[in-house]
Amino acid sequence: MPMVVDANRVASDVAPVFRPGLEGVPATQSAICDIDGLQGLLTYRGYPLEELAASSTFLETAHLLIWGELPTTEHLRAFEHNVQMHRRVSFRIRDMMKCFPADGHPMDALQSSAASLGLFYSRRALDDPAYIEAAVVRLIAKIPTMVAAYQLIRLGQDPIQPRDDLSYSANFLYMLTEREPDPLAARIFDQCLILHAEHSLNASTFSARVTASTLTDPYAVVASAVGTLAGPLHGGANEDVLAMLEQIGSEDRAEAWLDRAIAEKQKIMGFGHREYKVKDPRAVILQGLAEQLFDRFGHDGMYDVARRVEEVASERLGPKGIYPNVDFYSGLVYRKLGIPRDLFTPIFAIARVAGWLAHWKEQLGANRIYRPTQIYTGAARRTWLPQDARNALPGV
Ligand code: ACO
């Protein structure tokens, strides 16, 4: 077991060590997910990701992450039913979203609309399991509806209502496109949600836990995590991967493009991970899902470019432990599903809300507010000067 240190002793006895990005610093204890970055293994509550992706559904996996166990048939049916009952969002939220700029980024729209849920469901009872369950259900149910609503609103259309006869993932694709999806497309989308549902203490989950530790409401927890996920070094990278592949354009240009980018010290999007020193296991599964989609719905030439990029970049960067991460193939899957590029990260959020809520619940179970320290590097103590004296200083 890892040692839990008495913070007062650390403050008095040990000189603080600064680790940029908190690399290698345990910031919590967690029983939710485990990563073996050298072997490329990922488990949720002890279950290998590969088994969950092959056999589970997103809602079953969300239940596992949040409550710690795979649900019985009865519990799963109840959870699915509750989620289905709460998928609609208030017309007031839809009207608010209609005032958002149509050219805004959907992640900004999602962050604002997720935060607004706190206004509508303001009772906060963090020690009441019924409150926790209701908040979990509401967030898992409404986040996809809000993502789909903004998509239609920005196209100048009215959001459409969820359909009760469709599964969680099929309904999301239906609300997005107004067409009932092919069952294979819906299943592959659901598998993508499983793959993105949780990944230990990444930046957005850390953000969620820090926010949770103040005992604020769960909507603020999710809104802060959405804002963190939006950045190009985190969830936003999947958009940039497609842009990069399109810029490269063809397999035969990949090697020269990568050599120039690496020489210019550019980051290759969709490559590298703080935890993995081998190919991200989620990238392995996503690549397989992409191939299933191409077999069924037609090939995508960008996949050939991606495979060549993987080959060359792994040769050049592999010795530093830099290989494809989850974002490298996810964009190709979503593109084949007909999803607009700037919705890739909101879809990541739809999935990751399960992990954020699992961490919210775990944080509440053993809470201590996050308040790390810093190493001050600013000016030594000095005396305030009146403006006349400042103006007379040499060099002003
Ligand atoms: N391309 C080229 N070089 C890279 C890459 C990359 N994608 N990633 C890391 N490196 C190099 C760095 O240049 C650095 O080299 P140096 O030691 O010679 O200076 C070394 O590897 C360490 O890189 P850091 O950025 O310090 O590694 P860190 O662990 O902080 O970063 C991160 C991890 C942010 C994911 C990084 O690999 C990256 O920026 N990748 C591209 C963006 C991306 O794909 N993000 C999605 C990550 S997955 C997710 O969040 C869902």
Side-chain angles (χ1 to χ4, degrees), residues 49-227:
L49 186 68
E50 291 75 7
E51 291 179 21
L52 292 167
S55 309
S56 188
T57 63
F58 172 66
L59 285 185
E60 185 181 66
T61 301
H63 188 290
L64 168 71
L65 288 167
I66 296 165
W67 283 286
E69 295 298 337
L70 285 169
T72 61
T73 306
E74 190 193 346
H75 286 145
L76 181 60
R77 293 288 164 267
F79 183 49
E80 287 170 344
H81 178 71
N82 283 343
V83 168
Q84 189 186 78
M85 298 298 286
H86 287 88
R87 288 197 290 215
R88 286 172 173 72
V89 295
S90 159
F91 74 91
R92 291 190 176 87
I93 294 180
R94 295 203 304 272
D95 285 353
M96 176 189 78
M97 294 175 85
K98 287 178 183 167
C99 298
F100 292 169
D103 60 353
H105 196 287
M107 279 300 271
D108 296 326
L110 179 60
Q111 191 183 19
S112 308
S113 38
S116 79
L117 290 172
L119 290 162
F120 292 89
Y121 306 102
S122 54
R123 186 182 84 94
R124 188 187 308 149
L126 299 177
D127 51 1
D128 176 358
Y131 170 85
I132 305 272
E133 183 176 352
V136 163
V137 165
R138 241 179 239 129
L139 278 157
I140 290 185
K142 292 186 194 306
I143 294 278
T145 310
M146 294 191 296
V147 171
Y150 182 66
Q151 169 63 8
L152 292 194
I153 288 169
R154 68 180 176 161
L155 295 174
Q157 299 166 24
D158 263 332
I160 54 173
Q161 294 295 348
R163 257 183 49 189
D164 287 347
D165 59 322
L166 295 178
S167 69
Y168 185 82
S169 287
N171 175 63
F172 171 71
L173 294 173
Y174 163 73
M175 289 191 299
L176 205 58
T177 59
E178 298 186 76
R179 281 193 315 278
E180 197 175 318
D182 179 280
L184 177 71
R187 173 62 190 147
I188 286 184
F189 184 80
D190 203 64
Q191 288 172 291
C192 290
L193 296 185
I194 294 172
L195 298 178
H196 288 85
E198 160 62 6
H199 208 232
S200 80
L201 215 57
N202 55 85
S204 58
T205 303
F206 186 43
S207 183
R209 282 194 88 120
V210 171
T211 310
S213 79
T214 69
L215 302 184
T216 186
D217 70 67
Y219 311 105
V221 168
V222 167
S224 73
V226 170

Side-chain angles (χ1 to χ4, degrees), residues 233-234 237 267-272 274 320 322 325 327 348:
L233 294 187
H234 192 8
K267 288 272 179 78
I268 311 304
M269 287 292 137
F271 270 75
R274 181 69 63 79
K320 288 167 85 174
I322 298 168
N325 61 44
D327 286 326
F348 196 152

